[in-house]
Amino acid sequence: MKTKELKDLLAGRTIKDQLKELVRLFPGEVLFTTSFGIEDQVISHIIFKNDISTEVATLDTGRLFPETYKVFSDTIKRYKKSINVYFPDYEALEKMMTKKGPFSFYYSKDDRLECCRIRKLVPLNKALNGKKCWISGIRASQSDNRRQMDWIELDEERQLFKFYPLFDWSLEEVEKFIKENDIPYNALHDRGFVSIGCEPCTRAVEKGADFRSGRWWWEAGSLKECGLHIK
Ligand code: SF4
């Protein structure tokens, strides 16, 4: 199937129907990855409430905030569903930390990318193995890089479709949906954190600042992505 065909098929439908259609088209081959940010919590709610049979997975980098684990726990309790956890390869991690210590990501961009690769990219690729469609909570208004994406894309390298159900949503719409449906969310969002990743690499930002500016803030001018969604 071509990207345009899929786009035409899904256009104008509700998110629930779009997800159901994807599961029908690619049975057992649809993955939603959550990092428990508010956008991801909206998507988890729609999937779990409607018993949509996509795999829901998270990448546990080993460096997450306690508040993130709290949302993870609250979410599985609330919906009585499980979320598959993918960990980094322990031998690669042991090697990196033995050689460079626990804060190598502050030393250089290459060191930071090495850590992201071991803790996130490799586990993500393991989760995506054999999948035809990857769902994620990206919104266009989150960053200039994301504005240039499209709500359905083909990931040529991994040979799968990427679908962003909330692509056109504003932050206000996301927050409203979370509130109206009483969905558990990360308490850090109330303390100025917008994009929440690993604890040592994330900080709060001023209201209205760029969505990704609190990530890897010491890398001036860097594209604030960890490689997961770069084309
Ligand atoms: Fe490592 Fe930081 Fe990337 Fe997390 S965000 S994987 S701690 S470099």
Side-chain angles (χ1 to χ4, degrees), residues 67-78:
E67 288 86 347
T68 302
Y69 289 110
K70 170 88 168 56
V71 195
F72 182 176
S73 175
D74 290 348
T75 304
I76 54 177
K77 279 187 205 155
R78 155 93 186 257

Side-chain angles (χ1 to χ4, degrees), residues 111-220:
D111 285 313
R112 195 271 284 176
L113 289 173
E114 177 190 34
C115 185
C116 280
R117 184 178 56 75
I118 292 172
R119 292 183 190 272
K120 292 182 180 178
L121 266 181
V122 174
L124 172 71
N125 287 336
K126 189 174 158 196
L128 287 173
N129 189 29
K131 298 291 190 293
K132 290 280 184 347
C133 183
W134 175 21
I135 299 158
S136 103
I138 281 180
R139 288 185 298 106
S141 61
Q142 285 172 330
S143 71
D144 287 343
N145 177 56
R146 294 182 177 194
R147 241 183 288 276
Q148 289 161 28
M149 297 178 168
D150 199 357
W151 61 280
I152 293 218
E153 297 181 318
L154 177 67
D155 183 328
E156 288 181 16
E157 206 176 310
R158 297 186 180 101
Q159 277 303 300
L160 50 77
F161 291 111
K162 292 164 83 173
F163 172 48
Y164 315 126
L166 307 184
F167 193 71
D168 293 324
W169 285 39
S170 65
L171 178 60
E172 291 69 32
E173 285 173 301
V174 174
E175 289 173 341
K176 188 166 173 268
F177 190 93
I178 291 279
K179 202 170 171 189
E180 282 175 359
N181 292 282
D182 195 23
I183 297 170
Y185 68 95
N186 197 320
L188 293 171
H189 286 302
D190 293 333
R191 286 185 248 149
F193 289 79
V194 280
S195 169
I196 303 169
C198 295
E199 185 273 333
C201 301
T202 308
R203 68 179 182 181
V205 297
E206 294 289 325
K207 205 170 170 51
D210 185 277
F211 173 79
R212 301 286 281 185
S213 58
R215 306 289 291 276
W216 312 293
W217 63 92
W218 63 93
E219 287 180 5

